[in-house]
Amino acid sequence: MIITKPPMGWNSWNTFGENINEKVVMETADQLVESGLKDCGYEYVIIDDCWSLRERNEKGEIVPDPEKFPHGMKYVSDYVHSKGLKFGMYSCAGTLTCARYPGSYDHEFVDAECFARWGVDYLKYDYCFHPSSTRGHYLYKRMGLALANCGRDIVFAACSWGAENTKTWIKETGAHTWRSTGDINDSWESIKHLAQDQMQVTEYNGSGCFNDMDMLVVGMNGRGNVAVTGCTADEYRTHFAFWAMMGSPLIIGCDLRKADENAMAILKNRMLIEIDQDEAYRQPFFINAEREFNKNRTPGGTLYESYPLDECILARFLSNGDIALGAFNFRDGAVRLNAQLDSIGLGECTGKTLELTSAWTGKTSRVTNGTLIVELGAHCCEVFRAKVVDK
């Protein structure tokens, strides 16, 4: 199976955690359709951890919890499919999942066949409780092979959090997405931390194996399983825009039945979704931030400190010749950012400049004197779709 765009959808973990059940899943499927999110591209409805009993049955199969899913997983899957959506589930490469339910270690082919029988279209595959003697690349290859031979097309979403230098081996496993980060929570500090970590992995983005920055917290507003402080509307906009500029999967984590107008406006932003889903899926690059390594190293010579990234302008070449430009301010005060067009290949000698359209306001403007200048408030961003035009 090959996928050409980062997956979009909804996952239960951020809001519901262990309090997941078939009613929530089916009502969320209804809401994806009724709210218009399905028409925007959100298609996967994914059940995360805590869906099963604590022990396998006599056949060695994982058993859905009959209190949470009294009609079984095939019933839920059929309902999701009846809405024109796709169905996703969760397992783990270890002996246990992160919440201590049965993992898929040594049961990869059994579980893959079970998921196929239930009509699963997407598998999030976590990395807790794996034997320390077995390397991650081996465990993910095992499940990659099991899914490839289960008789059904299933998106393989590897979730090893970037551990063991995941970026260097994950494409070997058959995974369609790979988590480059630890878990997100509903706070500005978490969003900022995950965004800053991306300077270490931008060159490992790639079509067919997409860099996953973890799920969205837009619209959680301090409620739910990973709630901490919640975020302002500006912070949620910055969160969504950075994920889109990086080409991350866009997996909603809020309770869609309670999502407010601000959250829906962010999640439905057509220009940002088009940037995220651009078919060329070219690597984003920083045009005003120096990639300065901290000189501290592990004994093996590996750099381990994060890159500094308090403000930046990102660029990404799109499939039709346009350029996505994202200016981001992670500081607690206002900033004025600038970058020369020469840094994206438009030197003065070309006779060209950029016509900018704002993703938030739709207003257009032109870059003058070969320099992009953007003023941003604290924790704010601006994203433009830019056309190359004559001066």
Side-chain angles (χ1 to χ4, degrees), residues 13-279:
W13 182 255
N14 282 0
T15 293
F16 296 99
E18 67 179 0
N19 298 314
I20 189 61
N21 58 63
E22 70 179 33
K23 181 175 183 290
V24 167
V25 176
M26 294 163 69
E27 289 181 352
T28 299
D30 293 339
Q31 190 60 27
L32 277 169
V33 175
E34 294 167 8
S35 67
L37 287 167
K38 175 179 178 288
D39 293 335
C40 294
Y42 297 93
E43 60 178 345
Y44 290 97
V45 179
I46 305 160
I47 299 171
D48 209 286
D49 205 349
C50 310
W51 57 267
S52 75
L53 293 178
R54 296 285 181 175
E55 295 185 7
R56 292 175 178 268
N57 65 17
E58 64 279 1
K59 297 179 182 178
E61 298 171 333
I62 302 180
V63 181
D65 186 329
E67 291 189 8
K68 296 177 180 180
F69 298 94
H71 296 94
M73 284 302 176
K74 185 65 166 61
Y75 174 86
V76 179
S77 173
D78 286 347
Y79 187 86
V80 170
H81 290 147
S82 76
K83 297 292 179 176
L85 299 165
K86 296 179 180 179
F87 181 56
M89 291 191 67
Y90 167 99
S91 191
C92 186
T95 55
L96 298 173
T97 70
C98 297
R100 296 176 172 79
Y101 290 80
S104 288
Y105 181 78
D106 272 350
H107 294 82
E108 291 85 358
F109 278 80
V110 171
D111 290 352
E113 291 170 6
C114 195
F115 296 144
R117 189 167 65 249
W118 291 341
V120 171
D121 305 297
Y122 178 112
L123 178 67
K124 175 182 173 182
Y125 203 53
D126 224 330
Y127 198 42
C128 291
F129 293 101
H130 56 281
S132 59
S133 59
T134 308
R135 306 306 294 170
H137 71 87
Y138 178 67
L139 296 176
Y140 281 89
K141 285 170 183 168
R142 283 168 65 167
M143 182 53 84
L145 275 177
L147 292 175
N149 288 278
C150 73
R152 183 177 179 83
D153 284 342
I154 299 178
V155 171
F156 184 22
C159 183
S160 62
W161 333 308
E164 298 177 27
N165 215 15
T166 300
K167 60 183 181 286
T168 64
W169 51 259
I170 192 60
K171 291 182 181 180
E172 303 169 359
T173 70
H176 300 101
T177 71
W178 67 281
R179 269 278 294 281
S180 61
T181 70
D183 288 355
I184 197 169
N185 63 54
D186 185 23
S187 71
W188 171 247
E189 286 304 313
S190 178
I191 291 168
K192 176 181 177 180
H193 173 71
L194 298 190
Q196 289 178 326
D197 276 353
Q198 292 308 301
M199 284 195 82
Q200 303 177 63
V201 298
T202 51
E203 61 266 45
Y204 294 93
N205 288 351
S207 184
C209 189
F210 302 100
N211 172 16
D212 179 2
M213 296 169 60
D214 204 7
M215 297 166 286
L216 301 168
V217 294
V218 174
M220 289 191 64
N221 298 321
R223 301 186 300 265
N225 184 50
V226 302
V228 180
T229 59
C231 298
T232 66
D234 284 337
E235 290 166 350
Y236 283 140
R237 279 191 285 268
T238 297
H239 167 35
F240 187 80
F242 196 89
W243 267 234
M245 281 294 302
M246 294 299 296
S248 176
L250 299 178
I251 307 296
I252 300 166
C254 69
D255 186 347
L256 287 176
R257 302 168 304 175
K258 300 177 181 178
D260 59 29
E261 291 183 5
N262 284 334
M264 283 296 183
I266 294 169
L267 295 170
K268 291 183 179 181
N269 187 290
R270 291 280 184 177
M271 186 180 294
L272 291 175
I273 291 172
E274 287 172 0
I275 290 170
D276 178 82
Q277 297 283 292
D278 187 74
E279 60 186 0

Side-chain angles (χ1 to χ4, degrees), residues 320-323 341 344-357 364-368 385-391:
N320 70 340
D322 288 354
I323 304 168
L341 296 192
I344 58 172
L346 287 180
E348 286 293 295
C349 63
T350 64
K352 305 291 184 180
T353 190
L354 294 178
E355 182 179 87
L356 310 175
T357 302
T364 60
S365 59
R366 282 200 173 206
V367 175
T368 59
R385 188 168 185 127
K387 290 188 176 297
V388 179
V389 296
D390 294 331
K391 286 185 181 178

Side-chain angles (χ1 to χ4, degrees), residues 262-335:
N262 284 334
M264 283 296 183
I266 294 169
L267 295 170
K268 291 183 179 181
N269 187 290
R270 291 280 184 177
M271 186 180 294
L272 291 175
I273 291 172
E274 287 172 0
I275 290 170
D276 178 82
Q277 297 283 292
D278 187 74
E279 60 186 0
Y281 199 75
R282 296 192 178 106
Q283 177 181 319
F285 56 98
F286 294 86
I287 61 175
N288 81 323
E290 294 296 327
R291 291 169 58 98
E292 295 179 355
F293 291 99
N294 186 298
K295 301 306 180 184
N296 294 315
R297 295 173 180 264
T298 63
T302 303
L303 296 159
Y304 65 88
E305 293 287 344
S306 296
Y307 299 83
L309 179 62
D310 291 323
E311 59 196 47
C312 68
I313 299 178
L314 266 175
R316 187 169 155 200
F317 289 176
L318 303 178
S319 56
N320 70 340
D322 288 354
I323 304 168
L325 294 169
F328 297 90
N329 178 19
F330 297 103
R331 295 184 183 275
D332 295 332
V335 298

